Amino acid sequence: MKRLFQISCIATVLAASAFAIAQPTGYTGPSTKAAPSGYTGPTSVPLMKAKDLLDKGKDDQQARLQGKLLSHKGGDDYEFADASGKITVEIEAEHFPAGVSVDQNTVVELTGEFDKETFGESSFEVKQMKVVGK
């Protein structure tokens, strides 16, 4: 009986290890899964211009930006621009809309939080992204 219990425990550990190894880690590219549905109605989060946010924004301020992602700076950092200027935005892969390609010609609306730095570059941390047009 003791031997059967040991074999059962070893089999369980091996099965769990094989399952863990088989799981992908991190973002691996576009997804075919539908984006989760969420609230799509009006918001009280103000639509701002990049220059106004950089000049007058407060740390941890909620805001929305509308413009284009000009380039990928590395990691989660992208250069965003609207008619007023440019700002670095941080976008985790999970916030890109599923099944939609976003390039430098795609108009997007970003909702998130301003990270005001006293020294160094201020940035905008994106919590939600939606495609507005091409």
Side-chain angles (χ1 to χ4, degrees), residues 17-105:
S17 298
F19 179 77
I21 291 170
Q23 298 301 307
T25 57
Y27 180 71
T28 58
S31 173
T32 57
K33 294 181 182 176
S37 55
Y39 180 73
T40 58
T43 179
S44 62
V45 177
L47 184 61
M48 299 186 71
K49 297 290 185 188
K51 183 175 182 353
D52 291 339
L53 190 58
L54 286 168
D55 291 347
K56 303 171 190 167
K58 300 194 181 338
D59 192 37
D60 298 331
Q61 175 180 340
Q62 299 292 310
R64 289 182 301 137
L65 298 172
Q66 198 170 88
K68 298 178 180 179
L69 298 176
L70 298 182
S71 65
H72 181 226
K73 297 172 82 173
D76 292 340
D77 294 341
Y78 296 83
E79 183 175 49
F80 172 88
D82 61 17
S84 72
K86 299 176 184 177
I87 186 172
T88 296
V89 296
E90 299 171 19
I91 310 171
E92 293 180 11
E94 65 196 40
H95 295 304
F96 279 88
V100 179
S101 295
V102 176
D103 62 22
Q104 70 277 9
N105 299 312

Coordinates of all heavy atoms in Angstrom, one line a residue, residues 17-105:
S17 N 4.4 18.6 -13.7 CA 5.6 19.2 -14.3 C 5.4 19.2 -15.8 O 5.8 20.2 -16.5 CB 6.8 18.4 -14.0 OG 7.0 18.4 -12.6
A18 N 4.9 18.2 -16.4 CA 4.7 18.1 -17.9 C 3.7 19.2 -18.3 O 3.9 19.9 -19.3 CB 4.3 16.8 -18.3
F19 N 2.7 19.4 -17.6 CA 1.7 20.4 -17.9 C 2.3 21.8 -17.8 O 2.1 22.6 -18.7 CB 0.5 20.3 -16.9 CG -0.6 21.3 -17.2 CD1 -1.4 21.2 -18.2 CD2 -0.7 22.4 -16.3 CE1 -2.4 22.2 -18.5 CE2 -1.6 23.4 -16.6 CZ -2.5 23.3 -17.6
A20 N 3.1 22.1 -16.7 CA 3.7 23.4 -16.6 C 4.7 23.7 -17.7 O 4.7 24.8 -18.2 CB 4.4 23.5 -15.2
I21 N 5.4 22.7 -18.1 CA 6.4 22.9 -19.2 C 5.7 23.2 -20.5 O 6.2 24.0 -21.3 CB 7.3 21.7 -19.3 CG1 8.2 21.6 -18.0 CG2 8.2 21.7 -20.5 CD1 9.0 20.3 -17.9
A22 N 4.6 22.6 -20.7 CA 3.9 22.7 -22.0 C 3.2 24.1 -22.1 O 2.8 24.5 -23.2 CB 2.8 21.6 -22.1
Q23 N 3.0 24.8 -21.1 CA 2.3 26.1 -21.1 C 3.2 27.2 -21.7 O 4.4 27.3 -21.3 CB 1.8 26.5 -19.7 CG 0.9 25.6 -19.1 CD -0.4 25.4 -20.0 OE1 -1.0 26.4 -20.3 NE2 -0.7 24.2 -20.3
P24 N 2.8 28.0 -22.7 CA 3.6 29.1 -23.2 C 3.8 30.2 -22.2 O 2.9 30.4 -21.3 CB 2.7 29.6 -24.4 CG 1.3 29.2 -24.1 CD 1.4 28.0 -23.2
T25 N 4.9 30.9 -22.2 CA 5.2 31.9 -21.3 C 5.2 33.3 -22.0 O 5.8 33.4 -23.1 CB 6.5 31.7 -20.6 OG1 7.5 31.6 -21.6 CG2 6.5 30.5 -19.7
G26 N 4.5 34.3 -21.5 CA 4.5 35.6 -22.1 C 3.7 35.7 -23.4 O 3.1 34.7 -23.8
Y27 N 3.7 36.9 -23.9 CA 3.0 37.1 -25.2 C 3.7 36.5 -26.3 O 4.9 36.7 -26.5 CB 2.8 38.6 -25.3 CG 2.1 39.0 -26.6 CD1 0.7 38.8 -26.7 CD2 2.7 39.6 -27.6 CE1 0.0 39.1 -27.9 CE2 2.1 39.9 -28.8 CZ 0.7 39.7 -28.9 OH 0.1 40.1 -30.0
T28 N 3.1 35.8 -27.2 CA 3.7 35.1 -28.3 C 3.2 35.6 -29.6 O 3.4 34.9 -30.6 CB 3.6 33.6 -28.2 OG1 2.2 33.3 -28.2 CG2 4.3 33.1 -26.9
G29 N 2.5 36.6 -29.7 CA 2.0 37.2 -31.0 C 0.5 37.3 -31.0 O -0.2 37.2 -29.9
P30 N -0.1 37.6 -32.1 CA -1.5 37.9 -32.2 C -2.3 36.7 -31.7 O -1.9 35.6 -31.7 CB -1.7 38.1 -33.7 CG -0.4 38.4 -34.3 CD 0.6 37.8 -33.4
S31 N -3.5 37.0 -31.3 CA -4.4 36.0 -30.7 C -5.6 35.8 -31.6 O -6.1 36.8 -32.2 CB -4.8 36.4 -29.3 OG -5.8 35.5 -28.8
T32 N -6.2 34.6 -31.6 CA -7.4 34.4 -32.3 C -8.6 34.5 -31.4 O -9.7 34.3 -31.8 CB -7.4 33.1 -33.1 OG1 -7.2 32.0 -32.1 CG2 -6.3 33.1 -34.2
K33 N -8.3 34.6 -30.1 CA -9.4 34.7 -29.1 C -10.1 36.1 -29.2 O -9.4 37.1 -29.4 CB -8.9 34.5 -27.7 CG -8.3 33.1 -27.5 CD -7.8 33.0 -26.1 CE -7.2 31.6 -25.9 NZ -6.6 31.4 -24.5
A34 N -11.3 36.1 -29.0 CA -12.1 37.4 -29.0 C -11.7 38.2 -27.8 O -11.5 37.6 -26.7 CB -13.6 37.1 -29.0
A35 N -11.6 39.5 -27.9 CA -11.4 40.4 -26.8 C -12.5 40.3 -25.8 O -13.7 40.2 -26.3 CB -11.2 41.8 -27.3
P36 N -12.2 40.4 -24.5 CA -13.3 40.3 -23.6 C -14.2 41.5 -23.8 O -13.7 42.6 -24.0 CB -12.6 40.3 -22.2 CG -11.3 40.8 -22.5 CD -11.0 40.5 -23.9
S37 N -15.5 41.3 -23.7 CA -16.4 42.5 -23.8 C -16.4 43.2 -22.5 O -16.3 42.7 -21.4 CB -17.8 42.0 -24.2 OG -18.3 41.1 -23.2
G38 N -16.6 44.5 -22.6 CA -16.6 45.3 -21.4 C -17.4 46.6 -21.6 O -18.2 46.6 -22.6
Y39 N -17.3 47.5 -20.7 CA -18.1 48.7 -20.8 C -17.7 49.5 -22.0 O -16.5 49.7 -22.3 CB -17.9 49.5 -19.5 CG -18.7 50.8 -19.5 CD1 -20.0 50.8 -19.3 CD2 -18.0 52.0 -19.7 CE1 -20.8 52.0 -19.4 CE2 -18.8 53.2 -19.7 CZ -20.1 53.2 -19.6 OH -20.8 54.3 -19.5
T40 N -18.7 49.9 -22.8 CA -18.4 50.7 -24.0 C -19.1 52.0 -24.1 O -19.1 52.7 -25.1 CB -18.7 49.9 -25.3 OG1 -20.1 49.6 -25.2 CG2 -17.9 48.6 -25.4
G41 N -19.7 52.4 -23.0 CA -20.5 53.7 -22.9 C -19.6 54.9 -22.7 O -18.4 54.8 -22.7
P42 N -20.3 56.0 -22.3 CA -19.5 57.2 -22.1 C -18.6 57.1 -20.9 O -18.7 56.3 -20.0 CB -20.6 58.2 -21.8 CG -21.9 57.6 -22.1 CD -21.7 56.1 -22.2
T43 N -17.6 58.0 -20.9 CA -16.6 58.1 -19.8 C -16.4 59.5 -19.4 O -16.6 60.4 -20.1 CB -15.3 57.4 -20.3 OG1 -14.4 57.5 -19.2 CG2 -14.7 58.2 -21.5
S44 N -16.0 59.6 -18.1 CA -15.7 61.0 -17.6 C -14.2 61.2 -17.7 O -13.8 62.3 -17.3 CB -16.2 61.1 -16.1 OG -15.5 60.2 -15.3
V45 N -13.4 60.3 -18.1 CA -12.0 60.5 -18.3 C -11.8 61.4 -19.5 O -12.2 61.1 -20.6 CB -11.3 59.1 -18.5 CG1 -9.8 59.3 -18.8 CG2 -11.5 58.2 -17.4
P46 N -11.1 62.5 -19.2 CA -11.0 63.6 -20.3 C -10.0 63.1 -21.4 O -9.0 62.5 -21.2 CB -10.4 64.8 -19.5 CG -9.6 64.2 -18.4 CD -10.4 62.9 -18.0
L47 N -10.4 63.5 -22.7 CA -9.6 63.4 -23.8 C -8.6 64.6 -23.8 O -9.1 65.7 -23.8 CB -10.5 63.3 -25.1 CG -9.7 63.1 -26.4 CD1 -9.0 61.7 -26.4 CD2 -10.7 63.2 -27.6
M48 N -7.3 64.3 -23.9 CA -6.3 65.3 -23.8 C -5.4 65.2 -24.9 O -5.3 64.2 -25.6 CB -5.6 65.2 -22.5 CG -6.4 65.4 -21.2 SD -5.4 65.4 -19.7 CE -4.6 67.0 -19.9
K49 N -4.6 66.3 -25.1 CA -3.5 66.3 -26.1 C -2.2 66.0 -25.4 O -2.1 66.3 -24.2 CB -3.4 67.7 -26.7 CG -4.6 68.2 -27.5 CD -4.7 67.4 -28.8 CE -5.8 67.9 -29.7 NZ -6.1 67.0 -30.8
A50 N -1.3 65.3 -26.1 CA 0.0 64.9 -25.5 C 0.7 66.1 -24.9 O 1.2 66.0 -23.7 CB 0.8 64.2 -26.5
K51 N 0.8 67.2 -25.6 CA 1.5 68.4 -25.0 C 0.8 68.9 -23.8 O 1.5 69.2 -22.8 CB 1.5 69.5 -26.1 CG 2.3 70.7 -25.7 CD 2.4 71.7 -26.8 CE 3.3 73.0 -26.5 NZ 3.7 73.2 -25.2
D52 N -0.5 69.0 -23.7 CA -1.2 69.5 -22.5 C -0.9 68.5 -21.3 O -0.7 69.0 -20.2 CB -2.7 69.6 -22.8 CG -3.0 70.7 -23.7 OD1 -2.2 71.6 -23.9 OD2 -4.1 70.7 -24.3
L53 N -0.9 67.2 -21.6 CA -0.7 66.3 -20.5 C 0.7 66.4 -20.0 O 0.9 66.5 -18.8 CB -0.9 64.8 -21.0 CG -0.9 63.7 -20.0 CD1 -2.0 64.0 -18.9 CD2 -1.2 62.4 -20.7
L54 N 1.7 66.6 -20.9 CA 3.1 66.8 -20.4 C 3.3 68.1 -19.7 O 4.0 68.1 -18.7 CB 4.0 66.7 -21.6 CG 4.3 65.3 -22.2 CD1 5.0 65.4 -23.6 CD2 5.1 64.4 -21.2
D55 N 2.7 69.1 -20.2 CA 2.8 70.5 -19.6 C 2.0 70.7 -18.3 O 2.5 71.3 -17.3 CB 2.4 71.6 -20.6 CG 3.4 71.7 -21.7 OD1 4.5 71.1 -21.7 OD2 3.0 72.3 -22.7
K56 N 0.8 70.2 -18.2 CA -0.1 70.5 -17.1 C -0.6 69.3 -16.3 O -1.2 69.4 -15.3 CB -1.3 71.2 -17.7 CG -1.0 72.5 -18.5 CD -2.3 73.0 -19.1 CE -1.9 74.1 -20.1 NZ -3.0 74.4 -21.0
G57 N -0.2 68.1 -16.8 CA -0.7 66.9 -16.2 C -0.1 66.7 -14.8 O 1.0 67.1 -14.5
K58 N -0.9 66.0 -13.9 CA -0.5 65.7 -12.6 C -0.2 64.2 -12.5 O -0.8 63.4 -13.2 CB -1.5 66.0 -11.6 CG -1.9 67.5 -11.6 CD -2.7 67.9 -10.4 CE -3.0 69.4 -10.4 NZ -2.3 70.3 -11.2
D59 N 0.7 63.8 -11.6 CA 1.1 62.4 -11.5 C -0.2 61.5 -11.1 O -1.0 62.0 -10.3 CB 2.1 62.2 -10.3 CG 2.7 60.8 -10.3 OD1 3.0 60.2 -11.4 OD2 3.0 60.3 -9.2
D60 N -0.3 60.4 -11.7 CA -1.4 59.5 -11.5 C -2.7 60.0 -12.1 O -3.8 59.4 -11.8 CB -1.6 59.1 -10.1 CG -0.4 58.3 -9.5 OD1 0.3 57.7 -10.3 OD2 -0.1 58.4 -8.3
Q61 N -2.7 61.0 -12.9 CA -3.9 61.6 -13.5 C -4.5 60.6 -14.6 O -3.7 60.1 -15.4 CB -3.6 62.9 -14.1 CG -4.8 63.5 -14.9 CD -4.4 64.9 -15.5 OE1 -3.5 65.5 -15.1 NE2 -5.2 65.3 -16.5
Q62 N -5.8 60.3 -14.5 CA -6.4 59.5 -15.6 C -6.7 60.4 -16.8 O -7.1 61.6 -16.7 CB -7.8 59.0 -15.1 CG -7.6 58.1 -13.9 CD -7.0 56.8 -14.2 OE1 -7.3 56.1 -15.1 NE2 -6.0 56.4 -13.4
A63 N -6.4 59.8 -18.0 CA -6.6 60.6 -19.2 C -6.8 59.7 -20.4 O -6.6 58.5 -20.3 CB -5.4 61.5 -19.5
R64 N -7.3 60.3 -21.5 CA -7.4 59.5 -22.8 C -6.6 60.3 -23.8 O -6.6 61.6 -23.8 CB -8.8 59.4 -23.2 CG -9.7 58.5 -22.4 CD -11.1 58.4 -22.9 NE -11.7 59.7 -22.9 CZ -12.5 60.2 -23.9 NH1 -12.7 59.4 -25.0 NH2 -13.0 61.3 -23.8
L65 N -5.9 59.6 -24.7 CA -5.1 60.2 -25.8 C -5.6 59.6 -27.1 O -5.9 58.4 -27.1 CB -3.6 60.0 -25.6 CG -3.0 60.5 -24.4 CD1 -1.5 60.0 -24.3 CD2 -3.0 62.0 -24.4
Q66 N -5.7 60.4 -28.1 CA -6.0 59.9 -29.4 C -5.0 60.3 -30.5 O -4.7 61.5 -30.6 CB -7.4 60.4 -29.8 CG -8.1 59.6 -30.9 CD -9.5 60.0 -31.1 OE1 -9.8 60.9 -31.9 NE2 -10.4 59.3 -30.4
G67 N -4.4 59.4 -31.2 CA -3.4 59.6 -32.1 C -2.8 58.3 -32.7 O -3.5 57.3 -32.8
K68 N -1.5 58.3 -33.0 CA -0.8 57.2 -33.6 C 0.4 56.7 -32.8 O 1.1 57.6 -32.2 CB -0.4 57.5 -35.0 CG -1.6 57.8 -35.9 CD -1.2 58.2 -37.3 CE -2.4 58.6 -38.2 NZ -1.9 58.9 -39.5
L69 N 0.7 55.4 -32.8 CA 1.9 54.9 -32.3 C 2.9 55.0 -33.4 O 2.8 54.3 -34.4 CB 1.7 53.5 -31.8 CG 0.7 53.2 -30.7 CD1 0.6 51.7 -30.5 CD2 1.1 54.0 -29.5
L70 N 3.9 55.9 -33.3 CA 4.9 56.1 -34.4 C 5.9 55.0 -34.4 O 6.4 54.6 -35.5 CB 5.6 57.4 -34.2 CG 4.7 58.6 -34.2 CD1 5.6 59.9 -34.1 CD2 3.9 58.7 -35.5
S71 N 6.4 54.5 -33.2 CA 7.4 53.5 -33.3 C 7.5 52.8 -31.9 O 7.0 53.2 -30.9 CB 8.8 54.1 -33.6 OG 9.2 55.0 -32.5
H72 N 8.1 51.6 -32.0 CA 8.3 50.8 -30.8 C 9.7 51.1 -30.3 O 10.7 51.0 -31.0 CB 8.2 49.3 -31.2 CG 8.4 48.4 -30.0 ND1 9.2 47.3 -30.1 CD2 7.9 48.4 -28.8 CE1 9.2 46.6 -29.0 NE2 8.4 47.3 -28.1
K73 N 9.8 51.5 -29.0 CA 11.1 51.9 -28.4 C 11.8 50.8 -27.7 O 12.9 50.9 -27.3 CB 10.9 53.1 -27.5 CG 10.3 54.3 -28.1 CD 9.9 55.4 -27.1 CE 11.1 56.2 -26.7 NZ 10.8 57.3 -25.8
G74 N 11.1 49.6 -27.6 CA 11.6 48.5 -26.9 C 10.8 48.2 -25.7 O 10.2 49.0 -25.1
G75 N 10.7 46.9 -25.3 CA 9.9 46.4 -24.2 C 8.4 46.8 -24.4 O 7.8 46.6 -25.4
D76 N 7.9 47.5 -23.4 CA 6.5 47.9 -23.5 C 6.4 49.4 -23.9 O 5.3 50.0 -23.9 CB 5.8 47.8 -22.1 CG 5.6 46.4 -21.6 OD1 5.6 45.5 -22.5 OD2 5.5 46.1 -20.4
D77 N 7.5 50.0 -24.3 CA 7.5 51.5 -24.6 C 7.3 51.7 -26.1 O 8.0 51.1 -26.9 CB 8.8 52.1 -24.1 CG 9.0 52.1 -22.6 OD1 7.9 51.9 -21.9 OD2 10.1 52.3 -22.1
Y78 N 6.4 52.7 -26.4 CA 6.1 53.1 -27.7 C 6.1 54.6 -27.8 O 5.9 55.3 -26.8 CB 4.7 52.6 -28.2 CG 4.7 51.1 -28.2 CD1 4.4 50.4 -27.1 CD2 4.8 50.4 -29.4 CE1 4.4 49.0 -27.1 CE2 4.8 49.1 -29.5 CZ 4.5 48.3 -28.4 OH 4.5 47.0 -28.4
E79 N 6.5 55.2 -29.0 CA 6.4 56.6 -29.1 C 5.0 56.9 -29.7 O 4.6 56.4 -30.8 CB 7.5 57.1 -30.1 CG 7.4 58.6 -30.2 CD 8.6 59.1 -31.1 OE1 8.8 58.6 -32.2 OE2 9.2 60.1 -30.6
F80 N 4.2 57.7 -29.0 CA 2.9 58.1 -29.4 C 2.9 59.6 -29.8 O 3.6 60.4 -29.3 CB 1.9 57.9 -28.2 CG 0.5 58.5 -28.4 CD1 -0.4 57.7 -29.0 CD2 0.2 59.8 -28.1 CE1 -1.7 58.2 -29.2 CE2 -1.0 60.3 -28.3 CZ -2.0 59.5 -28.9
A81 N 2.1 59.9 -30.9 CA 2.0 61.3 -31.3 C 0.6 61.6 -31.7 O -0.2 60.8 -32.2 CB 2.9 61.5 -32.5
D82 N 0.2 62.9 -31.4 CA -1.0 63.5 -31.9 C -0.6 64.8 -32.5 O 0.6 65.1 -32.6 CB -2.1 63.6 -30.8 CG -1.7 64.5 -29.6 OD1 -0.7 65.3 -29.7 OD2 -2.3 64.4 -28.5
A83 N -1.6 65.6 -32.8 CA -1.3 66.9 -33.5 C -0.5 67.9 -32.6 O 0.2 68.7 -33.2 CB -2.6 67.6 -33.9
S84 N -0.5 67.7 -31.3 CA 0.2 68.6 -30.4 C 1.7 68.2 -30.1 O 2.5 69.1 -29.7 CB -0.6 68.7 -29.1 OG -0.4 67.6 -28.4
G85 N 2.0 66.9 -30.3 CA 3.4 66.5 -29.9 C 3.4 65.0 -29.6 O 2.6 64.2 -30.0
K86 N 4.5 64.6 -29.0 CA 4.9 63.2 -28.7 C 5.0 62.9 -27.2 O 5.4 63.8 -26.5 CB 6.2 62.8 -29.4 CG 6.1 63.0 -30.9 CD 7.5 62.7 -31.5 CE 7.5 63.0 -33.0 NZ 8.8 62.7 -33.6
I87 N 4.7 61.7 -26.9 CA 4.9 61.2 -25.5 C 5.2 59.7 -25.6 O 4.7 59.0 -26.4 CB 3.6 61.5 -24.6 CG1 3.9 61.2 -23.2 CG2 2.4 60.8 -25.2 CD1 2.7 61.6 -22.2
T88 N 6.0 59.3 -24.6 CA 6.2 57.8 -24.5 C 5.1 57.2 -23.8 O 4.6 57.7 -22.7 CB 7.5 57.5 -23.7 OG1 8.6 58.1 -24.5 CG2 7.8 56.1 -23.5
V89 N 4.5 56.1 -24.3 CA 3.5 55.4 -23.7 C 3.9 53.9 -23.4 O 4.7 53.4 -24.2 CB 2.2 55.4 -24.6 CG1 1.6 56.8 -24.7 CG2 2.4 54.7 -25.9
E90 N 3.5 53.4 -22.3 CA 3.8 52.0 -21.9 C 2.5 51.2 -22.2 O 1.5 51.4 -21.6 CB 4.2 52.0 -20.5 CG 5.4 52.8 -20.1 CD 5.6 52.9 -18.6 OE1 5.1 52.0 -17.8 OE2 6.3 53.8 -18.2
I91 N 2.7 50.2 -23.1 CA 1.5 49.3 -23.4 C 1.9 47.9 -23.2 O 2.8 47.4 -24.0 CB 1.0 49.6 -24.8 CG1 0.8 51.0 -25.1 CG2 -0.2 48.8 -25.1 CD1 0.6 51.4 -26.6
E92 N 1.3 47.2 -22.3 CA 1.6 45.7 -22.2 C 0.8 45.0 -23.3 O -0.2 45.5 -23.8 CB 1.0 45.2 -20.8 CG 1.8 45.8 -19.7 CD 1.3 45.3 -18.3 OE1 0.5 44.3 -18.3 OE2 1.8 45.8 -17.3
A93 N 1.4 43.9 -23.8 CA 0.9 43.2 -25.0 C -0.6 42.8 -24.8 O -1.4 42.9 -25.8 CB 1.7 41.9 -25.2
E94 N -1.1 42.6 -23.6 CA -2.5 42.2 -23.4 C -3.4 43.3 -23.6 O -4.6 43.1 -23.8 CB -2.6 41.7 -21.9 CG -2.4 42.8 -20.9 CD -2.2 42.3 -19.5 OE1 -1.6 41.2 -19.3 OE2 -2.7 42.9 -18.6
H95 N -2.9 44.6 -23.7 CA -3.8 45.7 -24.0 C -4.0 46.0 -25.5 O -4.9 46.9 -25.8 CB -3.3 47.0 -23.2 CG -3.4 46.8 -21.7 ND1 -4.5 46.5 -21.0 CD2 -2.4 46.9 -20.8 CE1 -4.2 46.4 -19.8 NE2 -2.9 46.7 -19.6
F96 N -3.3 45.3 -26.3 CA -3.5 45.5 -27.8 C -4.8 44.8 -28.1 O -5.1 43.7 -27.6 CB -2.3 44.9 -28.6 CG -1.2 45.9 -28.7 CD1 -0.2 45.9 -27.7 CD2 -1.1 46.8 -29.7 CE1 0.9 46.8 -27.8 CE2 0.0 47.7 -29.8 CZ 0.9 47.7 -28.8
P97 N -5.6 45.4 -29.0 CA -6.9 44.7 -29.4 C -6.6 43.4 -30.1 O -5.8 43.3 -31.0 CB -7.6 45.7 -30.3 CG -6.7 46.8 -30.5 CD -5.5 46.6 -29.6
A98 N -7.3 42.3 -29.7 CA -7.2 41.0 -30.3 C -7.6 41.0 -31.7 O -8.6 41.6 -32.1 CB -8.0 40.0 -29.5
G99 N -6.8 40.4 -32.6 CA -7.1 40.2 -34.0 C -7.0 41.4 -34.8 O -7.5 41.4 -35.9
V100 N -6.4 42.5 -34.3 CA -6.3 43.7 -35.1 C -4.9 44.1 -35.2 O -4.1 44.2 -34.1 CB -7.1 44.9 -34.4 CG1 -7.0 46.2 -35.1 CG2 -8.6 44.5 -34.2
S101 N -4.4 44.4 -36.4 CA -3.0 44.9 -36.5 C -3.0 46.4 -36.3 O -3.9 47.2 -36.7 CB -2.5 44.7 -38.0 OG -2.4 43.3 -38.2
V102 N -2.0 46.8 -35.5 CA -1.8 48.3 -35.2 C -0.4 48.6 -35.7 O 0.6 48.0 -35.4 CB -1.9 48.5 -33.7 CG1 -1.6 50.0 -33.4 CG2 -3.3 48.1 -33.2
D103 N -0.4 49.6 -36.6 CA 0.9 50.1 -37.1 C 1.0 51.6 -37.0 O 0.1 52.2 -36.4 CB 1.2 49.6 -38.6 CG 0.1 50.2 -39.6 OD1 -0.5 51.2 -39.3 OD2 0.0 49.5 -40.6
Q104 N 2.0 52.3 -37.6 CA 2.2 53.7 -37.5 C 1.1 54.5 -38.2 O 1.0 55.7 -38.0 CB 3.6 54.1 -38.0 CG 3.7 54.0 -39.5 CD 4.1 52.6 -40.0 OE1 4.0 51.7 -39.2 NE2 4.4 52.5 -41.2
N105 N 0.2 53.9 -38.9 CA -0.9 54.6 -39.6 C -2.2 54.4 -39.0 O -3.2 55.0 -39.4 CB -1.0 54.1 -41.1 CG 0.3 54.4 -41.8 OD1 0.8 55.5 -41.8 ND2 0.8 53.4 -42.5

